[in-house]
Amino acid sequence: MKRCTQTTLDSLLCHGLPPELIALATAPLPTSHLFHEASWSADALDELELCHWGACPPFSQPEPADTMQEAQFTKNLTHVFFGQKVHLENQAKVHRECRYRSGARNEIITELLTIVMQGFREWVQLKDSIAGCTVRRHKEMATSLLQWHARIIYSYYHEAGMLEQGENPY
């Protein structure tokens, strides 16, 4: 696969998604209570901490002590992170389904493929930046963000493909 600055939609569509991206995209999500709470409700949990983890590293968060409590906090944070992302993605998919039912199939395909391309460029950039993460929480959050980007790329790629073939992915 060419570097992200040289990647085109045609090359992704012809050659498919990289195996590393597919492996991350299909890795299971957490199954914890925190994950489920965050995935089902927009206000069930305090998600204030999540706003710091939406962009590529380096993160501006201070380096916490490397303790067992910190490791558990980071694990919980990743579960809430994934839960919130699933919640938001479920809402977006419902919105796309409504638009699909109103006849906006071609517009949805274009939007999905645009997001796939942008997401792929960000995924490559994020993958390259993870090596610079030396703090455990930063590395785990960057890895979670990388996995989430992979899930979006993978699912949107397949959703667009189904729409292009005249199938209903909703």
Side-chain angles (χ1 to χ4, degrees):
M1 183 64 58
K2 297 178 183 177
R3 296 301 297 169
C4 64
T5 56
Q6 299 173 354
T7 302
T8 65
L9 183 57
D10 290 339
S11 69
L12 266 183
L13 295 176
C14 290
H15 303 294
L17 300 174
E20 180 183 5
L21 185 143
I22 294 169
L24 272 175
T26 57
L29 289 174
T31 58
S32 70
H33 176 72
L34 284 172
F35 169 77
H36 288 290
E37 283 292 315
S39 68
W40 287 103
S41 175
D43 59 359
L45 299 171
D46 177 9
E47 298 174 351
L48 184 62
E49 178 75 20
L50 296 179
C51 65
H52 304 291
W53 308 104
C56 287
F59 298 116
S60 61
Q61 291 298 95
E63 183 174 335
D66 196 12
T67 65
M68 292 298 291
Q69 293 83 6
E70 164 56 23
Q72 185 61 49
F73 178 84
T74 300
K75 179 180 176 183
N76 292 345
L77 182 63
T78 62
H79 289 205
V80 173
F81 170 84
F82 281 122
Q84 179 199 47
K85 295 295 189 187
V86 166
H87 178 76
L88 295 172
E89 183 52 34
N90 287 341
Q91 290 177 333
K93 193 165 188 173
V94 166
H95 180 69
R96 286 194 306 277
E97 180 180 9
C98 290
R99 291 179 55 220
Y100 170 79
R101 293 190 189 290
S102 69
R105 183 180 73 86
N106 290 337
E107 293 85 3
I108 296 169
I109 293 170
T110 301
E111 290 171 16
L112 290 171
L113 294 177
T114 299
I115 293 168
V116 165
M117 285 309 304
Q118 177 63 33
F120 185 76
R121 284 189 290 274
E122 291 172 7
W123 183 80
V124 170
Q125 179 185 7
L126 181 57
K127 186 171 71 111
D128 292 344
S129 68
I130 287 178
C133 292
T134 57
V135 177
R136 181 192 333 196
R137 182 187 302 171
H138 294 195
K139 189 171 197 94
E140 288 185 34
M141 291 308 295
T143 302
S144 296
L145 186 59
L146 185 70
Q147 182 180 355
W148 185 256
H149 275 5
R151 290 183 76 83
I152 291 298
I153 294 163
Y154 183 80
S155 67
Y156 282 25
Y157 180 83
H158 288 288
E159 187 175 328
M162 290 179 72
L163 288 167
E164 286 177 331
Q165 293 174 10
E167 298 174 29
N168 179 354
Y170 310 109

